[in-house]
Amino acid sequence: MTRVLGIDHPLILFRDLPAGVEQFRRLGFAPAPMGYHPWGTSMSFVTFERCAFELLSIYDASLIDKNSAGDFQFGRYIFDRLNEREGMSLVALYSTDAEADAATVEARGLACQGTIEFGRAVRLRDGREDRTACTLKILFDPNLKRVSHFICQQHRPDLVWREPLMTHLNGATGIASISYFAPDPSRLRDRFAGLYGAGAETPIDGGFSVQTRNGVFEVLDRQAVDNRFGGLPGQVDASEPAGIAVAVTVRDLAAATEILRRENVAFAERDGGILVSRSQEFGNIWIEFVRRT
């Protein structure tokens, strides 16, 4: 069954955002110009069809406690995770009705810290400036700091999902899956039952997966991670559940492979895809390219 909340965008944290943006360019992506949030974070979107990567860092630590949702400060959360290490943090969930979706997951037992309403300036191709408008519903679990989420409703999708930003040299079109590591995958079952309902999970080797409206979440134990990726990304704590990998769909694997060769990016060809080999160069996550079906 397809679930309502889709994968909108994972947040990938870099201490040096311009350097991280350039690393993603080496993979054949076309990151958007950097923007800024009112809570002190700087960002660059890598935009696909109704989903994205958000490459994120801190530009002004004096702002990190602004724009709270209950006891959750978005900037403070990013600041604290970056002090630990680079890597995947929150994952935004695509919604067309944030209020209704938040009420649904709260009824299933998940805590919603509150709402953040904000917008950021964007410059259009003709030079005019406009402003996005977004509603966030924060679904943070302090016991799962790197497996938490927020519901994201874009009120001006025309300013986010723009064709010039969705054209990538590697032919990327979207996110196929996000992989989490958990020493004990059963620990995350209640989390995903809250997001997608009881019975949403499908058993897989070493864990389970959940089909969403847009893409798949999967939760893997250490053996499954080792078998699939050759190990955890650098600096990932083997005792802490965390996001570790994103699979990106591309139109032509051969074209994506050629870009990696040209940019001297180490990779391994796998059955049905390509795995970028050096996770520490790309935000402490494994990046896969898979053929779009």
Side-chain angles (χ1 to χ4, degrees):
M1 175 185 289
T2 299
R3 309 291 167 169
V4 172
L5 292 169
I7 294 172
D8 194 293
H9 60 277
L11 277 56
I12 312 300
L13 308 187
F14 288 91
R15 292 194 174 98
D16 184 339
L17 183 57
V21 167
E22 288 309 307
Q23 289 293 73
F24 270 68
R25 288 192 198 281
R26 291 179 63 213
L27 298 178
F29 295 114
M34 281 191 285
Y36 302 92
H37 296 131
W39 46 80
T41 53
S42 51
M43 49 75 66
S44 173
F45 264 113
V46 177
T47 309
F48 311 120
E49 298 171 4
R50 292 296 186 271
C51 58
F53 287 105
E54 185 172 9
L55 313 182
L56 202 65
S57 192
I58 298 289
Y59 79 93
D60 188 344
S62 71
L63 302 176
I64 60 176
D65 291 321
K66 294 182 178 294
N67 297 81
S68 299
D71 59 358
F72 181 85
Q73 290 85 33
F74 211 113
R76 171 67 63 179
Y77 167 85
I78 299 301
F79 182 84
D80 289 345
R81 299 291 78 72
L82 262 177
N83 276 343
E84 297 166 351
R85 64 173 176 84
E86 295 182 329
M88 193 185 306
S89 60
L90 303 171
V91 175
L93 304 176
Y94 179 90
S95 173
T96 57
D97 190 337
E99 291 289 341
D101 288 337
T104 296
V105 300
E106 285 186 285
R108 294 183 185 135
L110 293 190
C112 178
Q113 281 73 25
T115 305
I116 297 175
E117 304 277 359
F118 83 102
R120 58 182 176 83
V122 295
R123 188 163 297 280
L124 305 180
R125 297 180 75 183
D126 61 7
R128 291 183 299 115
E129 191 174 273
D130 209 330
R131 192 167 185 83
T132 65
C134 188
T135 298
L136 310 182
K137 293 287 188 177
I138 307 300
L139 309 174
F140 177 66
D141 184 340
N143 296 313
L144 295 171
K145 291 180 180 178
R146 292 185 181 268
V147 189
S148 284
H149 308 83
F150 61 94
I151 294 169
C152 179
Q153 180 181 358
Q154 296 285 355
H155 301 288
R156 291 292 309 276
D158 56 306
L159 298 179
V160 179
W161 317 114
R162 291 183 285 157
E163 185 58 41
L165 300 177
M166 296 191 292
T167 302
H168 304 279
L169 291 177
N170 59 20
T173 60
I175 293 174
S177 65
I178 288 178
S179 300
Y180 289 107
F181 158 71
D184 177 7
S186 66
R187 183 181 169 192
L188 271 60
R189 287 198 174 104
D190 287 347
R191 178 74 188 174
F192 283 93
L195 291 173
Y196 295 104
E201 68 183 67
T202 298
I204 58 176
D205 287 344
F208 64 88
S209 67
V210 175
Q211 176 70 54
T212 81
R213 175 178 183 166
N214 178 37
V216 174
F217 283 115
E218 58 182 15
V219 180
L220 305 172
D221 66 16
R222 181 60 186 270
Q223 187 61 59
V225 168
D226 290 348
N227 291 344
R228 173 126 168 230
F229 303 108
L232 293 170
Q235 302 179 32
V236 171
D237 183 346
S239 68
E240 178 190 30
I244 61 165
V246 182
V248 178
T249 56
V250 295
R251 295 186 179 89
D252 185 347
L253 278 173
T257 300
E258 180 56 34
I259 290 170
L260 299 183
R261 288 197 177 105
R262 187 176 69 219
E263 294 293 329
N264 295 314
V265 174
F267 66 92
E269 295 188 48
R270 300 150 46 92
D271 184 23
I274 306 165
L275 176 65
V276 176
S277 299
R278 296 180 60 82
S279 59
Q280 65 269 32
E281 295 180 3
F282 304 99
N284 265 334
I285 61 169
W286 297 115
I287 298 175
E288 296 182 278
F289 294 106
V290 297
R291 184 175 292 106
R292 179 176 180 173
T293 57

